[in-house]
Amino acid sequence: MAILDILKLPDPRLKQVSEPVERFDEDLQGFVADLEETRLAGPAAVGIAAPQVGRFQRIVIVDVSGRPKTPNHGHLILVNPEIVHWEGYAIGREGCLSVPDYTGNVIRATGIRLKAQDLDGRETEYAMEGYEARAVQHEMDHLDGLLFVDRVVSRRTDLYRRKVYQT
């Protein structure tokens, strides 16, 4: 396994739309293992998408199980995910490994239903709410070449420079 380099804004590759995964093989499993190791090496990252490391396939990993009292499905590897239903909307603060210096307020659906494939190509459906739904929507945006800064309510009032703490 390896820790992969994260693409950071303003890298133009982050705007690239990803292609569906068609081959469910050892290469895919090896890449997802590297992607997970990269996520875990990041600063408290609950998710990561393949395009963030320069692989333009529709793959995301999300795990919000470390956040107390948050309804979730545990560690998720979502291949070719597609949201089939959304409901409600709320503003919430988001950050991103690819935009390390900023956070911002973004409007997202509060509940979603999605279908995705697993690493063996089997299709599964999920109903998600709250923080998990927000995290999945954030990661899925990467698959379409979008970053949270593209969705902030107002760049003037809702984009914040991340605090740097002295150690």
Side-chain angles (χ1 to χ4, degrees), residues 67-132:
R67 188 172 171 151
K69 298 179 183 174
T70 300
N72 69 86
H73 293 87
H75 183 266
L76 293 173
I77 298 166
L78 304 172
V79 181
N80 300 326
E82 179 185 348
I83 295 174
V84 295
H85 178 78
W86 327 206
E87 58 187 47
Y89 290 95
I91 294 176
R93 182 74 67 93
E94 296 184 14
C96 183
L97 294 172
S98 292
V99 188
D101 297 331
Y102 292 90
T103 63
N105 291 332
V106 178
I107 297 173
R108 301 270 187 201
T110 55
I112 60 173
R113 273 199 335 263
L114 74 96
K115 61 181 182 178
Q117 292 170 284
D118 65 14
L119 282 177
D120 295 316
R122 289 185 299 263
E123 194 169 285
T124 309
E125 291 197 21
Y126 300 93
M128 299 176 174
E129 61 184 34
Y131 187 67
E132 184 179 46

Side-chain angles (χ1 to χ4, degrees), residues 10 33 39 46 49 61 97 100 110 113 124 128 137 152 155 163:
R39 180 186 76 86
V46 298
I61 299 174
L97 294 172
T110 55
R113 273 199 335 263
T124 309
M128 299 176 174
Q137 290 170 83
V152 291
R155 286 192 182 198
K163 292 180 178 152

Side-chain angles (χ1 to χ4, degrees), residues 40-54:
L40 292 173
V46 298
I48 192 167
Q52 291 180 272
V53 297

